Amino acid sequence: MAAQGGQDAKFFQRGKIQEFRAELQAAEAKDKKFTKRKTVLKKIVANITMGNDMSPLFTDVVQCLAEQIHLVIPSFLQDCNDRNPLIRALAIRTMSYIPIPVVTEALTEQLRHCLKDRDPYVRKTAAICVAKLYTADPRKAEKGGFVEMLRDLLLDSNATVVSNAVAALSEIGDRQDGVIFKLNLTVANKLLAALGESSEWGQIYILDSLLRYVPERHTDAELMAERIIIHLQHANSAVVLTTIKILLYLMNYMENRKLMDYICKKMGPPLVTLLSSGPEVQYVALRNILLIIQRRPSVLKNDVKVFFCKYNDPIYVKLAKLEIMYRLAREENAREVLAELQEYASEVDIDFVRKAALLDLIETKVTYVVQEAVIVIKDVFRRYPGKYEGIIPTLCENLDALDEPESKAAMIWIVGQFANRIDNADELMDDLTYTFMEEPVEVQLALLTAAVKLFIYKAQSDTSKALVHKVLKWATEEVDNPDLRDRGFMYWRLLAINPTVAGEIVLAEKPAITTDSDRMDRGALDQLLLHTGTLGSIYHKNPETFIRNAAGKALTDSPALNPLSRQVLVPLSRPNIPPAIHVPGPGPPPPREASVSPVPPTAKPAPPAPPQTGDLIGASSSADTLDGEGENEHESGEHGDEDSLASPSGSADPYANLDNAFGSYLADEPKPQADDHLTRLF
């Protein structure tokens, strides 16, 4: 035994699924004595012993029995007719897990009998076996009428059988090539009646299947919601989240505002209760809450204190709570939220402090707090132009604390944007540009633009003239980054042609930025809420974007659907549907496509004509506009005439009509000919 153990030790080496599969397939050709297959199977068993997941090889291992499987089938068939229901269920389940044609063929008739077995344990096992049969051979399952038999089981007297039938039909319906699974009002009410007697697992499947029911009347959705709402008190977090998902779905088909407000009020406490669980459950709940409050803010509008961070919360929980806090912040709770955020500045975790930093925290003189506050304040200036500019002197006092590219670039933008209001802006810029050549590109771009703004604001200052001249020369002659060089040439040429026009372009009033960029589109949000309690709600992505062959979900139009939800409906298509097959036969020939004359290999295609105003532009404008708002309207004369693209002399040179816009620059060497010429310009 010791010698045998020593020999088997060589099999205990970590292997890859692909390698084992290739060895099994190679052994099928020349392995009459099963020597090679035994060796591979020993390796697989050894990997299972070491804790490696070898489940993807199940089908390949079963294939090894293909030649001897006919010896086992009679025993399976005998057990399928055993007097003990447990034996019958185990036999039918084992056969369904062997996806070999000869076993599938023998399973079909026995499965048909088991679906009508007198014992509910056999029926509920057979229901799951139908899903396995559908996975192995979809066409056989459909032609054999097994899908119809599953639908009949939805009306079974046993709740466990009903829940298993729902689970099997859901698995089949979620396949892109599967049968579409829908519910009518009668079946939906029958499923609701089975909820109380089902296990937690069964309740989740039954509740989730209600997404396949589309209410045709407001009252249908309202009555169903009243029957479901009691399950918000369930102890299982998965049941609670699934119940919330169904209620959010049904609210799209309601018109009773009092009932909707009542449902939102009832959904708050269960969500808060989930936050008393472990950190993993907390994180799942927080990611779902973040979606829910974007669609239904009233659910937790008075519970912002619940999301205040605890000292022992993991960082991922803290960041999730922080994001919810600022979304729930209102005028009524602003003081509490700001005070809580200020407390977070003393946290040990730097990443968390960065997320919570505000202007008042600059006085702490903590480097990373100051830098994050400067970044946020820059966005505040852009969001609220003309306000809060009295804090600029405080920011300028902390220039020496900035050593990260993003914060330094933000501060440079502030100095350049408000150079006309900062008395010593030229001195500050001179200090900031001292290390221009050593700075990252992000900072160099900010310095270049800020230097030009400073020169436009203070054109009479000798310091600003020398500064912009120095920065432009660095950007165009000594820097290798193409973006920086191009911007330097563009600014230099604008200033060389007309400094006044250049100033109007650089200092033009930009529209204020909005805070809606992190808010999800209403249609996408409605679609994503249909995946509450799943991986999709954690990633904030639809499952079909990261799970292969997953079927998408979306609201379905009906007379009961709210008008606003109907405006943002997301169309769904079932991909991978095989194309229509045309069989030649009698009758008129199919229409042929218009022939296209071939293009010579050396010929170059003509450039496309620009779109005409009122045609393509008008079409896209009307398509992109929601609720009748003309946000994307275009004026008829904005794009000019097609003839204006041609040069006056009829030349093919697209720059022939720019009237020497590049001044004295040479085409092959785009840099100034003499330094005194540039000095004279400034």
Side-chain angles (χ1 to χ4, degrees):
M1 293 299 293
Q4 183 66 28
Q7 292 176 2
D8 289 346
K10 62 183 179 181
F11 299 121
F12 285 84
Q13 297 179 2
R14 186 178 298 273
K16 295 182 178 179
I17 299 292
Q18 296 84 352
E19 294 175 356
F20 290 147
R21 180 175 288 123
E23 290 182 23
L24 285 173
Q25 293 173 355
E28 291 181 5
K30 297 179 181 180
D31 192 22
K32 294 183 179 180
K33 295 183 179 181
F34 301 98
T35 305
K36 295 181 179 179
R37 273 178 273 198
K38 288 179 182 178
T39 302
V40 180
L41 290 175
K42 286 182 179 180
K43 293 180 181 179
I44 295 174
V45 173
N47 273 264
I48 295 174
T49 305
M50 292 188 294
N52 300 330
D53 183 16
M54 296 285 112
S55 57
L57 291 173
F58 176 80
T59 305
D60 302 275
V61 173
V62 170
Q63 293 291 341
C64 295
L65 305 175
E67 297 179 7
Q68 280 76 32
I69 196 67
H70 65 278
L71 302 176
V72 186
I73 291 178
S75 300
F76 283 146
L77 297 178
Q78 183 179 356
D79 290 341
C80 288
N81 297 307
D82 195 273
R83 298 180 63 180
N84 189 335
L86 180 60
I87 299 298
R88 296 199 299 272
L90 289 175
I92 203 73
R93 186 177 68 178
T94 304
M95 292 181 70
S96 68
Y97 274 77
I98 303 177
I100 296 178
V102 63
V103 179
T104 304
E105 191 65 34
L107 168 70
T108 305
E109 195 60 33
Q110 297 300 325
L111 183 57
R112 194 184 308 278
H113 290 300
C114 289
L115 285 169
K116 299 179 181 179
D117 196 279
R118 63 183 180 277
D119 193 279
Y121 184 83
V122 179
R123 295 199 303 273
K124 69 101 175 175
T125 305
I128 297 298
C129 292
V130 173
K132 299 298 180 183
L133 175 64
Y134 199 97
T135 302
D137 193 342
R139 303 289 78 83
K140 181 183 289 294
E142 292 177 8
K143 291 180 180 179
F146 289 103
V147 178
E148 288 76 6
M149 297 178 73
L150 273 182
R151 289 172 180 167
D152 294 339
L153 289 182
L154 293 178
L155 304 177
D156 196 276
S157 58
N158 187 279
T160 305
V161 176
V162 172
S163 59
N164 279 33
V166 170
L169 282 171
S170 298
E171 183 176 338
I172 293 172
D174 287 340
R175 293 168 56 101
Q176 291 186 346
D177 59 345
V179 177
I180 298 177
F181 175 32
K182 293 184 178 180
L183 296 178
N184 56 29
L185 182 59
T186 303
V187 178
N189 286 328
K190 178 65 178 179
L191 295 180
L192 288 176
L195 264 178
E197 302 176 11
S198 300
S199 63
E200 296 176 351
W201 178 85
Q203 289 183 37
I204 293 171
Y205 269 106
I206 291 176
L207 287 169
D208 194 68
S209 69
L210 296 178
L211 290 176
R212 305 175 188 274
Y213 166 66
V214 182
E216 297 293 327
R217 299 178 300 174
H218 299 301
T219 53
D220 295 339
E222 292 162 2
L223 290 173
M224 186 172 292
E226 291 175 355
R227 296 179 64 181
I228 293 172
I229 199 170
I230 190 174
H231 294 280
L232 289 174
Q233 304 173 11
H234 204 283
N236 187 291
S237 57
V239 175
V240 172
L241 286 176
T242 308
T243 304
I244 290 174
K245 171 170 61 176
I246 302 305
L247 291 173
L248 291 170
Y249 166 72
L250 293 174
M251 287 170 73
N252 291 291
Y253 298 90
M254 298 181 189
E255 65 175 355
N256 188 338
R257 294 301 310 178
K258 290 185 178 180
L259 178 60
M260 295 170 68
D261 293 339
Y262 174 75
I263 293 174
C264 290
K265 184 179 179 181
K266 284 291 185 180
M267 284 194 294
L271 289 172
V272 172
T273 303
L274 293 178
L275 299 181
S276 60
S277 306
E280 292 80 9
V281 177
Q282 279 191 58
Y283 184 71
V284 172
L286 290 169
R287 294 295 287 176
N288 282 275
I289 289 171
L290 188 56
L291 287 177
I292 294 169
I293 61 175
Q294 290 185 62
R295 181 66 178 86
R296 304 286 179 184
S298 59
V299 173
L300 293 164
K301 65 178 181 180
N302 298 321
D303 296 308
V304 68
K305 288 185 178 180
V306 175
F307 302 100
F308 287 177
C309 300
K310 301 176 182 178
Y311 74 95
N312 58 347
D313 281 339
I315 181 60
Y316 55 88
V317 171
K318 289 181 178 179
L319 293 176
K321 285 183 176 181
L322 190 62
E323 193 170 358
I324 294 173
M325 281 172 56
Y326 91 80
R327 290 185 184 276
L328 292 178
R330 297 178 296 142
E331 187 175 353
E332 292 82 355
N333 56 24
R335 289 185 177 275
E336 295 175 305
V337 174
L338 288 174
E340 183 71 11
L341 293 174
Q342 195 165 357
E343 287 293 326
Y344 296 158
S346 59
E347 280 279 343
V348 176
D349 195 293
I350 296 177
D351 292 333
F352 179 61
V353 174
R354 287 179 181 277
K355 292 284 185 180
L358 294 173
L359 172 62
D360 292 343
L361 303 177
I362 291 179
E363 298 177 359
T364 63
K365 302 298 182 181
V366 180
T367 303
Y368 52 81
V369 175
V370 173
Q371 296 192 117
E372 194 67 21
V374 170
I375 296 171
V376 174
I377 291 169
K378 183 201 74 170
D379 292 334
V380 171
F381 285 154
R382 296 179 61 204
R383 176 67 179 88
Y384 303 99
K387 298 182 179 180
Y388 312 117
E389 294 168 7
I391 64 175
I392 293 177
T394 305
L395 297 178
C396 294
E397 293 173 2
N398 293 273
L399 273 176
D400 295 336
L402 307 179
D403 56 6
E404 292 190 2
E406 188 177 3
S407 58
K408 201 166 187 178
M411 189 64 212
I412 293 168
W413 180 89
I414 293 173
V415 173
Q417 185 71 16
F418 302 101
N420 58 331
R421 304 182 189 183
I422 302 175
D423 296 335
N424 61 336
D426 47 359
E427 297 177 7
L428 294 176
M429 283 298 301
D430 192 43
D431 292 338
L432 290 169
T433 56
Y434 183 76
T435 57
F436 181 88
M437 296 303 299
E438 289 78 30
E439 297 289 355
V441 175
E442 180 181 2
V443 178
Q444 289 178 332
L445 288 168
L447 284 171
L448 176 60
T449 303
V452 174
K453 288 181 179 179
L454 175 68
F455 170 73
I456 293 171
Y457 277 130
K458 300 183 177 183
Q460 306 303 323
S461 170
D462 294 335
T463 305
S464 64
K465 290 180 181 179
L467 179 66
V468 73
H469 181 264
K470 177 174 59 177
V471 172
L472 285 174
K473 282 182 67 65
W474 280 337
T476 56
E477 296 181 12
E478 300 186 27
V479 174
D480 295 331
N481 185 275
D483 293 332
L484 188 59
R485 289 173 62 88
D486 289 346
R487 186 179 294 190
F489 281 122
M490 181 185 70
Y491 284 150
W492 208 327
R493 288 162 183 166
L494 281 173
L495 293 171
I497 296 169
N498 193 328
T500 303
V501 175
E504 293 175 356
I505 295 174
V506 176
L507 301 178
E509 287 293 332
K510 308 295 189 301
I513 63 172
T514 65
T515 55
D516 296 331
S517 58
D518 58 344
R519 295 186 181 274
M520 205 171 293
D521 177 72
R522 167 67 184 275
L525 185 59
D526 284 342
Q527 186 180 14
L528 199 51
L529 284 173
L530 300 179
H531 300 287
T532 301
T534 66
L535 274 178
S537 64
I538 298 176
Y539 294 152
H540 288 187
K541 293 182 180 180
N542 291 314
E544 60 268 25
T545 62
F546 60 88
I547 297 179
R548 186 182 303 170
N549 297 329
K553 293 181 181 179
L555 293 177
T556 305
D557 194 8
S558 83
L561 186 63
N562 296 333
L564 187 56
S565 297
R566 184 179 291 112
Q567 289 180 6
V568 293
L569 273 179
V570 178
L572 272 187
S573 60
R574 292 176 70 88
N576 297 335
I577 297 177
I581 301 175
H582 299 283
V583 180
R592 299 174 58 185
E593 297 183 358
S595 60
V596 180
S597 57
V599 180
T602 57
K604 295 183 179 179
Q612 296 297 325
T613 304
D615 184 11
L616 296 178
I617 295 176
S620 64
S621 174
S622 61
D624 294 339
T625 304
L626 294 178
D627 302 331
E629 297 179 2
E631 296 178 356
N632 299 320
E633 293 179 358
H634 298 268
E635 297 181 1
S636 60
E638 182 178 348
H639 295 277
D641 196 356
E642 182 179 357
D643 295 337
S644 64
L645 298 176
S647 59
S649 61
S651 170
D653 182 9
Y655 305 105
N657 60 344
L658 294 183
D659 296 331
N660 197 21
F662 297 146
S664 58
Y665 293 95
L666 300 178
D668 296 332
E669 190 177 7
K671 59 184 180 180
Q673 292 181 341
D675 291 341
D676 57 342
H677 170 67
L678 295 171
T679 306
R680 179 172 49 83
L681 288 174
F682 300 133

